[in-house]
Amino acid sequence: VIFMASSQVGKTEIALNIMGFFVEQDPSPIMYLLPTDGIAEDFSKTRIQKNIDDTPVLAKLFNNKSRDGDNTIGLKNFAGGFVTIHGANTPTKLASKPIRVLIQDEVDRFPGELAKEGNPVKLAIQRTTNYSNRKIILISTPTVKGVSEIERWFLKSDQRYYHVPCPDCEHKFVLNWNMVEWEKDENDELIEES
């Protein structure tokens, strides 16, 4: 699944929900990959752990009251699987375990190549080859057209777009930024709706 979209539209929240689905409904080895180890550590503390704490079924599955090493910053164990959280900048972590569910978030911020190892996106995908029922999710806001990693993967896909309904006729279409218009007053300032 390739999800290329603008920033702050809920991509990561969707990824966290996918992770939660597999933890509860189809326990599996899961890797959540972010651009760097530092970002991964912060994300684990502020987003993944919060998601676990705030979701009773996940808190129970992760045995959240236990602090005996089963629930660390980089590895969270649950019955039937685990979630490992890493940065794409460390090749040894990308090659350590077989993974069934791979979530790669903000791939355009990953290092382009790892010294003597290759592309981190491809290295992580190699972790899924043991599973015929693997799920690979790449998520990112695109950066530079023609060089963007997420754009490269999107162009290899069937290139589906999200369609929104017209407020007047309900016909569905792809919303582009050049279609967005605001009403302005005589001073060319935006008119706020009350």
Side-chain angles (χ1 to χ4, degrees):
V1 175
I2 312 301
F3 189 5
M4 179 174 75
S6 60
S7 63
Q8 299 300 312
V9 294
K11 297 182 303 294
T12 297
E13 199 58 43
I14 290 168
L16 288 168
N17 281 274
I18 291 168
M19 181 195 76
F21 168 84
F22 280 98
V23 168
E24 189 206 3
Q25 297 292 319
D26 195 2
S28 308
I30 302 167
M31 177 183 279
Y32 204 114
L33 195 61
L34 292 137
T36 67
D37 286 332
I39 292 170
E41 183 176 326
D42 182 59
F43 186 81
S44 177
K45 292 176 186 175
T46 61
R47 299 291 298 271
I48 290 179
Q49 190 59 51
K50 182 167 177 25
N51 195 8
I52 292 168
D53 293 343
D54 293 348
T55 310
V57 69
L58 293 181
K60 183 179 176 186
L61 291 170
F62 280 99
N63 193 14
N64 225 19
K65 294 183 172 131
S66 169
R67 298 291 176 204
D68 62 4
D70 279 350
N71 189 356
T72 65
I73 292 170
L75 180 65
K76 299 184 181 303
N77 289 291
F78 57 90
F82 57 83
V83 177
T84 182
I85 305 111
H86 295 300
N89 60 328
T90 310
T92 54
K93 292 178 182 173
L94 299 180
S96 58
K97 316 174 166 64
I99 298 295
R100 178 172 169 230
V101 178
L102 174 62
I103 302 168
Q104 299 188 66
D105 199 347
E106 287 304 338
V107 298
D108 267 21
R109 293 182 177 34
F110 285 14
E113 295 289 320
L114 298 172
K116 300 180 184 178
E117 297 286 339
N119 180 289
V121 172
K122 291 178 182 176
L123 285 172
I125 289 172
Q126 288 175 348
R127 298 298 94 222
T128 67
T129 57
N130 287 356
Y131 294 92
S132 61
N133 61 346
R134 65 185 174 253
K135 182 63 70 183
I136 301 167
I137 299 135
L138 279 75
I139 299 170
S140 193
T141 301
T143 52
V144 180
K145 188 172 181 67
V147 210
S148 166
E149 185 76 16
I150 195 72
E151 178 191 38
R152 186 173 17 263
W153 284 93
F154 178 74
L155 293 173
K156 292 179 184 179
S157 75
D158 63 3
Q159 300 178 34
R160 295 182 196 186
Y161 287 88
Y162 184 72
H163 290 72
V164 297
C166 171
D168 296 323
C169 69
E170 298 296 316
H171 172 76
K172 293 191 175 196
F173 66 99
V174 176
L175 182 64
N176 291 307
W177 187 248
N178 62 354
M179 299 172 163
V180 178
E181 294 179 8
W182 290 273
E183 287 188 40
K184 295 182 179 182
D185 64 15
E186 63 277 353
N187 297 322
D188 206 29
E189 294 184 15
L190 295 179
I191 298 174
E192 293 184 32
E193 291 186 30
S194 45

